[in-house]
Amino acid sequence: TGHARGAGVVYVDTECGFKATRLLQLVGRSLQRRGVQADPHELLYRVTVLAADEWEGYEQCLSRIRALFQDDTRLATGLLVVDSIAAPARAHFERARLSERQRLLSSHAALFKSLAEEEGLVVLVTNQVQGSSGSDDGGLRELSRVGEPEDEMSACLGTS
């Protein structure tokens, strides 16, 4: 069952970086550019933000998402954004527990895939990237400086 255009968005914010004012600016510009007459504030009411800055909070957000789609009065949601899956996982799991982290992240990926297939939902999950170089800055460089020939970028949680 796909949802019609104009459906809502569920945004899982694990880095506490969501800014409604910024989204309002982007939506306003987009509407203006397309010549669409709509109130950007009204469109913001379609965005549900779930905030979690640690692993337990992130898992609570996933429970709420499951409940949203099991409830008969569920939201007409067309997009789920998880920004970022890396932040709570990296903070919670130390290196000795990598296999547990991967197992749990795999189960979350299965949930997202199931929601996409069964609900006609678009799911966007972000990961953090890190850059490394031969410099003496501990191997990590801010993203704006990555791109020199000696740099490499990789996903913080890996690619497999």
Side-chain angles (χ1 to χ4, degrees):
T1 62
H3 295 290
R5 182 179 233 174
V9 175
V10 174
Y11 186 97
V12 179
D13 180 13
T14 66
E15 298 186 18
C16 300
F18 179 84
K19 303 283 186 243
T21 54
R22 180 66 180 137
L23 182 57
L24 188 60
Q25 289 173 342
L26 293 171
V27 169
R29 280 189 216 148
S30 179
L31 292 172
Q32 185 179 32
R33 221 181 4 244
R34 289 174 173 74
V36 175
Q37 297 296 321
D39 181 3
H41 291 90
E42 288 296 319
L43 296 174
L44 285 183
Y45 287 114
R46 296 182 185 169
V47 178
T48 301
V49 179
L50 304 175
D53 60 356
E54 81 287 327
W55 185 257
E56 290 77 17
Y58 169 71
E59 289 201 314
Q60 289 173 358
C61 287
L62 293 183
S63 294
R64 287 193 59 200
I65 290 167
R66 282 186 198 99
L68 283 173
F69 289 98
Q70 292 172 348
D71 187 358
D72 288 337
T73 60
R74 64 181 138 210
L75 296 173
T77 302
L79 174 64
L80 168 63
V81 178
V82 179
D83 183 22
S84 114
I85 198 167
R90 288 184 69 209
H92 183 72
F93 294 99
E94 53 281 337
R95 288 212 179 272
R97 297 174 55 205
L98 290 179
S99 63
E100 180 185 2
R101 179 181 81 182
Q102 290 308 107
R103 183 183 57 76
L104 287 170
L105 290 174
S106 291
S107 73
H108 298 166
L111 168 67
F112 300 144
K113 181 179 180 191
S114 170
L115 287 172
E117 291 173 348
E118 294 172 14
E119 302 295 334
L121 184 66
V122 174
V123 179
L124 173 65
V125 180
T126 67
N127 188 358
Q128 298 168 327
V129 295
Q130 64 186 10
S132 62
S133 69
S135 68
D136 59 358
D137 61 1
L140 296 179
R141 298 177 74 182
E142 61 185 76
L143 193 54
S144 63
R145 291 176 36 213
V146 172
E148 299 300 319
E150 71 276 6
D151 293 337
E152 292 182 26
M153 283 189 6
S154 63
C156 286
L157 295 181
T159 57
S160 58

